[in-house]
Amino acid sequence: SSAASDVYKRQVLGPTLTAIRLLPALFGVLTVPVVVWLGRELFDWRVGMTGGLFLATYPVHVHFSRLALNNVVDPFFVALAFAALLYGLRKGRRWALILAGLSLGWSQYFYAGARLAPPLMAGFVLFLVIRHPRAARQWWKPLLATVTAFLTATWPANAVLLGYQLPLTTRLEQTYALTAYTDWPSFLRAQVIPALMGFIH
């Protein structure tokens, strides 16, 4: 994706500051309506609009939307995956469930933080199953479409990592997050809890 992005920057807009900032800015803008959709699926339109308004004026989001970095792409695809999943399960729309899997898979091609999205999605689905056990009995086929779409979207990247015997959690290996702590309490206190608070924020 970076090679295609470089070709786009050179051939369409040239080697300019506008070229390298345009795609992150577009993804930053597009994330706002996706968050509105997600808020609607989780709660209602009022919560969705409030969340979209908050995100549109949130300094961190605005900051990363104007930089030439791919960090801002993750929230777009992850929020789209969750919104499409909820919509697909609620309305019984197979296309939305496939979109959820594809979006979750596409998120893996950008910033390393998106590696946390699949476990979060799995935990969220488990929460929905526990919360709605009767409805969940009919979800296994639709969710199979989501999982298949996710695996299809992530297969090229994972095949390269496995082919070169690289870890799937490269960023964790680089920061020694898994090896720098000798006990679980210190690891949770220093790494996991601050990361989860970041997601909550």
Side-chain angles (χ1 to χ4, degrees):
S1 61
S2 60
S5 179
D6 290 340
V7 171
Y8 163 79
K9 293 168 188 173
R10 288 197 306 269
Q11 296 185 355
V12 178
L13 295 175
T16 65
L17 191 60
T18 301
I20 61 175
R21 285 185 169 179
L22 183 59
L23 288 178
L26 288 175
F27 274 104
V29 170
L30 290 174
T31 304
V32 174
V34 171
V35 166
V36 172
W37 184 27
L38 176 58
R40 179 194 179 281
E41 295 302 323
L42 283 170
F43 301 101
D44 54 34
W45 274 113
R46 184 176 63 177
V47 173
M49 293 300 291
T50 303
L53 179 63
F54 172 81
L55 185 66
T57 58
Y58 184 44
V60 175
H61 183 72
V62 174
H63 174 69
F64 279 102
S65 296
R66 62 186 295 273
L67 298 178
L69 298 173
N70 60 8
N71 304 53
V72 77
V73 180
D74 291 353
F76 171 79
F77 281 118
V78 174
L80 181 61
F82 276 86
L85 176 79
L86 287 168
Y87 179 82
L89 291 176
R90 186 168 60 86
K91 294 285 190 177
R93 300 290 191 269
R94 184 66 58 89
W95 66 265
L97 293 164
I98 292 173
L99 176 62
L102 291 175
S103 298
L104 192 64
W106 292 331
S107 71
Q108 304 302 295
Y109 289 88
F110 296 94
Y111 186 63
R115 292 286 181 184
L116 295 172
L120 286 174
M121 177 71 84
F124 184 64
V125 169
L126 180 61
F127 167 76
L128 292 176
V129 168
I130 294 171
R131 183 85 184 270
H132 308 284
R134 291 185 180 178
R137 295 172 187 171
Q138 302 175 355
W139 288 351
W140 71 273
K141 282 187 179 179
L143 288 175
L144 187 59
T146 302
V147 172
T148 302
F150 169 74
L151 294 175
T152 302
T154 56
W155 172 248
N158 291 333
V160 170
L161 292 174
L162 294 172
Y164 286 98
Q165 297 182 347
L166 297 172
L168 296 177
T169 55
T170 308
R171 186 65 175 159
L172 289 175
E173 298 290 336
Q174 291 173 345
T175 58
Y176 302 101
L178 298 177
T179 58
Y181 302 95
T182 57
D183 59 298
W184 279 103
S186 63
F187 174 71
L188 291 172
R189 189 168 50 251
Q191 293 285 339
V192 177
I193 293 175
L196 289 177
M197 291 304 296
F199 272 100
I200 292 170
H201 183 66

